[in-house]
Amino acid sequence: MNLTFFNTMDRKREEFQPLVPGRAGMYTCGPTVYNYAHIGNFRAYMFEDLLRRTLEFFGYRVTQVMNLTDVDDKTIRDSQRAGIPLKEFTAKYIKAFFEDLKTLNIEPAEHYPAATEHIPEMIELIRKLMERGIAYQAEDRSVYFSIDRFPDYGKLARIDRSNQLSGVRIRNDEYAKDAVADFALWKAWDEADGAVGWDSPWGRGRPGWHIECSAMSMKYLGDAFDLHTGGIDNMFPHHEDEIAQSESVTGKKWVNYWLHCDHLMVNGEKMSKSLGNFFTLRDLLEKGYRGREIRLVLLSAHYRKKLNFTFEALDQARETLRRFDDFRRRLQELGPEGSATAGEQALLDKFRAEFADGLADDLNISAALAAFHEAQRMLNKHMESGELTRGGAAAALVLFRDFDRVLGYLEMDAAAEAPVPPEVTELVAARQAARRAKNYAEADRCRDALKALGYVVEDIPGGGCRVKLR
Ligand code: AMP
Ligand code: ZN
């Protein structure tokens, strides 16, 4: 089955064709680490996690790069307000960010490059742009990108070039469409920067925000890669400027698919730091909500639609998960074992296919969730009428575990709380005894039997082992 994504560049759905068969290279604009990320930010990271897990579900090997913006206008401003050196200031929020990713069960990216550790790569890109006459150093000693020199400027955000203010410069990292102008690649040091600065061929200074992403994406993913993602507010100027810089250096198409998610809203307004209408993940945990409930809510709407955040939605998520945990416990109590009947297997396969079809259709989570809920409803019915066989229950557990490879909230927490069934404990003990007796055939048989029950066993140094749900 083929995956299709809505490509913001072309404003239409396109079949996903990776540069290298079976692999997907993906760049995700990561957090600016000047504060705790709010759940609006996490809607974007959650959408990217859904994309990543969907690619994996369809068998792709994903290389994801998520940068950490640990130097920009905002990090410098706030570290100075706090009177703490930049590195120390951002370290606190980087640590918090990784804790939050864990709480939300967001799969880790392969690389998390920090901007301050890639200054030479940024200088090198700017040097190339200078060499080609695309960048210039202005009277204020900063280096700017000349948008006149990149005829494709505006192709992503669809900017009307007749309004373009060529030769006019803008030093801020963020600006509106009607302020289109030459943007800063390298910002000359000034007093407001305090101790922050690096030497460069153009004097002491620091990189602009946009060049950070061009340099770090190309370092880890190459001159051209498959997917670039972010929130819709990143499209302009950030992604537009990234394209201008990168394609001016390479002379070729940089990214094949641009995917942007819409906003998390509160009472009709975008959740944002500047409006003050935000909740951090920590705020919600303090109110007693759990990571899996927040995860469910953030995944509940299609990524290209606005999602209104409410506490009722969190309460509803709690109830949905409580019912699911209960349902799964009853499946387990049936003593799942052996194979499903042909009729049961056909039904489960139908739900699996509907779930996959939904995801393949531009991550249509509503269709995927409809398959999930219908599967739960039907199986519940079959359990209540006493029709579901033990083999059917075993196959149903495998189905829900498959769904959870993408959803990521079914097994969370509950898995840690669920008692390990006695037959699992017995098999583990039997396997340990067989290993001690060097009876490896028997040990393997126990391992396979555990696998059939949905458990994996991992050996740990010192001769012990632990089991966990597959
Ligand atoms: P920032 O740290 O401000 O660069 O934002 C990090 C990510 O969060 C970017 O991809 C933004 O587009 C995204 N973002 C910010 N606010 C929201 C929101 N309310 N809903 C969805 N995504 C958001
Ligand atoms: Zn970026």
Side-chain angles (χ1 to χ4, degrees):
M1 191 194 307
N2 295 323
L3 283 169
T4 56
F5 299 130
F6 184 89
N7 191 347
T8 319
M9 182 62 87
D10 301 320
R11 308 289 195 274
K12 63 176 171 35
R13 270 164 216 251
E14 288 168 359
E15 192 178 305
F16 179 60
Q17 283 175 334
L19 289 170
V20 181
R23 307 199 58 159
M26 168 174 166
Y27 186 81
T28 305
C29 291
T32 306
V33 281
Y34 70 116
N35 211 321
Y36 297 108
H38 58 68
I39 55 164
N41 302 132
F42 281 112
R43 179 176 192 203
Y45 306 131
M46 196 66 83
F47 139 66
E48 286 143 359
D49 187 51
L50 175 67
L51 173 60
R52 177 193 166 93
R53 285 169 178 261
T54 298
L55 286 161
E56 288 174 337
F57 190 80
F58 282 86
Y60 290 95
R61 227 176 98 197
V62 178
T63 304
Q64 183 186 5
V65 179
M66 181 189 275
N67 73 298
L68 303 167
T69 301
D70 62 348
V71 56
D72 80 324
D73 299 348
K74 294 186 278 197
T75 42
I76 294 178
R77 182 195 64 200
D78 287 5
S79 68
Q80 287 178 350
R81 279 187 192 158
I84 300 173
L86 183 68
K87 196 90 187 157
E88 204 180 303
F89 178 77
T90 56
K92 171 176 165 191
Y93 296 112
I94 291 174
K95 182 166 171 280
F97 179 67
F98 285 122
E99 285 165 7
D100 289 356
L101 290 182
K102 245 194 168 144
T103 305
L104 288 172
N105 201 19
I106 290 178
E107 276 189 0
E110 280 60 34
H111 303 279
Y112 288 102
T116 52
E117 279 154 32
H118 294 78
I119 304 287
E121 287 86 347
M122 296 170 205
I123 290 179
E124 181 55 19
L125 284 188
I126 302 171
R127 206 186 50 72
K128 285 186 179 147
L129 291 169
M130 288 288 275
E131 233 171 56
R132 285 165 210 187
I134 295 164
Y136 61 93
Q137 187 164 28
E139 310 80 60
D140 67 358
R141 292 175 295 114
S142 292
V143 177
Y144 291 89
F145 184 97
S146 172
I147 52 174
D148 258 359
R149 301 296 313 275
F150 185 63
D152 276 350
Y153 192 83
K155 67 178 170 182
L156 178 68
R158 308 234 165 141
I159 304 265
D160 178 1
R161 288 184 57 113
S162 58
N163 294 333
Q164 185 173 305
L165 302 169
S166 78
V168 174
R169 291 183 287 275
I170 185 144
R171 203 170 179 276
N172 293 348
D173 283 332
E174 290 175 76
Y175 50 91
K177 275 188 195 168
D178 55 9
V180 167
D182 292 353
F183 58 89
L185 297 166
W186 186 259
K187 302 184 182 195
W189 182 90
D190 67 26
E191 270 167 30
D193 291 340
V196 179
W198 290 265
D199 290 328
S200 81
W202 317 285
R204 191 168 172 74
R206 61 183 171 95
W209 174 34
H210 318 300
I211 198 74
E212 296 184 3
C213 282
S214 287
M216 292 186 278
S217 59
M218 289 199 276
K219 170 157 182 181
Y220 295 95
L221 293 168
D223 280 1
F225 53 91
D226 299 305
L227 301 137
H228 195 312
T229 63
I232 193 77
D233 55 324
N234 276 169
M235 181 164 72
F236 186 83
H238 186 51
H239 291 162
E240 193 71 57
D241 292 352
E242 285 185 35
I243 294 171
Q245 300 162 152
S246 308
E247 296 193 352
S248 293
V249 166
T250 65
K252 61 181 184 192
K253 189 175 181 187
W254 181 47
V255 167
N256 284 338
Y257 302 89
W258 286 89
L259 273 71
H260 292 98
C261 73
D262 209 324
H263 288 140
L264 184 69
M265 312 290 286
V266 187
N267 299 325
E269 285 185 306
K270 175 191 170 193
M271 181 178 286
S272 72
K273 241 159 240 170
S274 53
L275 289 175
N277 60 352
F278 64 91
F279 295 99
T280 64
L281 187 60
R282 284 135 205 267
D283 293 335
L284 299 183
L285 297 177
E286 268 170 29
K287 288 182 194 295
Y289 292 103
R290 293 189 299 172
R292 66 193 296 233
E293 294 155 2
I294 301 163
R295 183 174 171 94
L296 187 156
V297 169
L298 291 177
L299 278 181
S300 63
H302 188 261
Y303 75 96
R304 286 190 295 112
K305 294 204 174 105
K306 293 194 191 329
L307 169 61
N308 201 40
F309 172 76
T310 62
F311 284 97
E312 290 77 53
L314 277 177
D315 294 334
Q316 229 167 45
R318 173 163 295 181
E319 181 54 22
T320 303
L321 289 169
R322 193 196 56 70
R323 269 188 273 124
F324 178 78
D325 290 348
D326 183 55
F327 162 73
R328 185 181 41 197
R329 203 186 53 249
R330 283 183 294 118
L331 279 176
Q332 276 161 346
E333 281 167 4
L334 254 180
E337 197 181 74
S339 329
T341 64
E344 286 169 338
Q345 196 56 56
L347 188 67
L348 297 173
D349 289 346
K350 176 180 94 76
F351 290 127
R352 187 182 271 102
E354 285 172 4
F355 184 81
D357 283 351
L359 293 170
D361 176 20
D362 190 32
L363 309 177
N364 184 345
I365 191 74
S366 310
L369 289 176
F372 159 66
H373 290 302
E374 186 55 16
Q376 185 176 338
R377 200 185 64 80
M378 287 285 274
L379 286 159
N380 237 332
K381 216 172 85 185
H382 289 190
M383 247 191 304
E384 269 161 28
S385 63
E387 281 169 78
L388 189 69
T389 66
R390 291 174 70 192
L397 285 167
V398 171
L399 175 73
F400 286 99
R401 228 166 279 138
D402 275 354
F403 287 165
D404 204 42
R405 283 169 53 206
V406 176
L407 299 178
Y409 53 67
L410 300 178
E411 308 280 336
M412 266 175 90
D413 307 343
E417 288 157 23
V420 175
E423 66 268 41
V424 170
T425 321
E426 278 163 30
L427 278 165
V428 171
R431 178 173 169 274
Q432 288 296 86
R435 271 160 56 88
R436 275 195 300 274
K438 300 207 172 359
N439 182 351
Y440 294 116
E442 172 64 6
D444 285 347
R445 193 197 63 76
C446 295
R447 178 190 282 272
D448 290 344
L450 283 163
K451 200 165 155 199
L453 291 172
Y455 287 81
V456 280
V457 41
E458 279 173 358
D459 296 311
I460 50 179
C465 73
R466 66 175 156 243
V467 283
K468 58 179 192 192
L469 278 168
R470 258 204 301 158

